[in-house]
């Protein structure tokens, strides 16, 4: 159980991050939600998690592509809760295009949100974790932290970068009661995956159905999408005391994809 702990889950208004926030709250952690979306819907989500779990649930809509917004979010969270015991770097975006047509602004945004934001949250959360001699950093990377797919240069570069950041910082703090790991999901049916289907179809010259069956599910020997709840359960396990000796790990949860 995570009673008395505080968790910040970036990009938790949707998909995998929302699933992780719900499980951490159910296990007793106070939760700070973050992400974009309709204000009323987010408030409904916030209230529902708080009512279901009885913990404090706060929302911070910081744009993680902006360093000053991240710093403000972290300062507010630390002032309010004292420590961020469990930091889940989950926010992410995708864009699919051949490299010679890849929009420079998309490259910059993907690197900023999927990689650099985690550098900022980690550097700002670690001092209090060190003071408490307890901390968990869980980075939601991707199977694309381990292998590549064509037309996803920025995403694959950023996710490989997250794996490198995870290994490096985890070694730096290994003696201080802090673990840092990366979870590498295969394809999970979320808005991030749904939105990339038309561009993938265009880049590969195939239909959207072929993208789902011949590209996405073809990658995974199970021929099934990974479930949000499965990723959330792994994150919750890593957050707990039973996972104290799991650190510097790059953990696939991808139906066998990266063994091929
Ligand atoms: P999603 O689109 O459902 O959720 C993304 C979240 O990030 C949303 O809450 C969104 O509001 C937030 N976000 C986007 N830009 C932001 C910004 N600038 N500032 C703050 N928040 C921002 O996607 P998802 O599939 O749940 O993805 C979550 C993470 O999981 C991402 O890092 C993604 O790369 C990773 N992942 C997803 C899959 C998959 O198949 N869905 C597979 C492997 C890894």
């Amino acid at each position: 159980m995570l009673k008395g702990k505080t968790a910040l889950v970036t990009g938790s208004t949707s998909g995998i991050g929302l699933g992780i926030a719900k499980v951490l709250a159910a296990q007793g952690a106070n939760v700070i939600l973050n992400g974009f979306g309709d204000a009323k819907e987010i408030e409904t989500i916030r209230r529902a998690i708080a009512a279901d779990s009885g913990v404090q649930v706060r929302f911070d809509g910081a744009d993680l592509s902006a360093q000053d917004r991240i710093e403000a979010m972290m300062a507010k969270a630390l002032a309010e809760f004292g420590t961020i015991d469990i930091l889940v770097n989950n926010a992410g975006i995708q864009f699919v295009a051949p490299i010679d047509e890849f929009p420079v602004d998309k490259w910059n945004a993907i690197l900023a949100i999927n990689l650099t934001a985690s550098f900022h949250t980690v550097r700002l959360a670690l001092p209090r974790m060190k003071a408490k001699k307890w901390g968990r950093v869980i980075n939601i990377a991707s199977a694309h932290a381990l292998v590549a797919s064509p037309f996803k240069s920025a995403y694959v570069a950023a996710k490989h970068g997250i794996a490198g950041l995870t290994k490096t910082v985890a070694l730096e703090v290994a003696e201080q009661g802090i673990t840092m790991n990366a979870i590498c999901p295969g394809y999970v049916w979320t808005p991030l995956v749904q939105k990339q289907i038309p561009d993938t179809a265009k880049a590969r010259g195939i239909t959207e159905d072929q993208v789902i069956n011949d590209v996405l599910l073809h990658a995974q020997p199970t021929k099934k999408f990974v479930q949000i709840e499965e990723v959330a359960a792994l994150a919750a396990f890593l957050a707990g005391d039973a996972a104290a000796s799991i650190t510097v790990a790059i953990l696939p949860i991808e139906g066998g994809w990266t063994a091929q």
Side-chain angles (χ1 to χ4, degrees), residues 10-17 34-37 61-65 89-93 113-114 140-143 155 159 184-193 195-196:
T10 69
S12 46
T13 53
S14 166
I16 294 168
N34 158 260
F36 296 155
D63 177 350
L64 299 192
S65 66
N89 287 310
N90 167 81
I93 58 168
I113 296 163
N114 296 19
I140 305 305
S142 167
Y155 188 86
K159 294 299 186 180
C184 298
Y187 289 110
V188 187
W189 192 250
T190 68
L192 181 141
V193 162
K195 279 188 260 174
Q196 70 185 265

Side-chain angles (χ1 to χ4, degrees), residues 95-174:
F95 193 81
V96 179
I99 189 71
D100 48 352
E101 294 170 19
F102 212 93
V104 172
D105 63 332
K106 295 290 182 196
W107 172 277
N108 289 336
I110 290 176
L111 269 286
I113 296 163
N114 296 19
L115 178 58
T116 305
S118 301
F119 159 67
H120 291 304
T121 56
V122 166
R123 74 179 170 80
L124 295 166
L126 275 177
R128 299 281 178 95
M129 289 183 182
K130 286 181 184 172
K132 275 182 86 174
K133 300 201 182 312
W134 199 98
R136 295 285 186 270
V137 182
I138 301 164
N139 295 322
I140 305 305
S142 167
H144 283 117
L146 299 162
V147 294
S149 297
F151 314 121
K152 296 184 177 178
S153 52
Y155 188 86
V156 172
K159 294 299 186 180
H160 276 63
I162 274 290
L165 180 73
T166 302
K167 291 183 198 174
T168 307
V169 179
L171 290 174
E172 291 179 23
V173 298

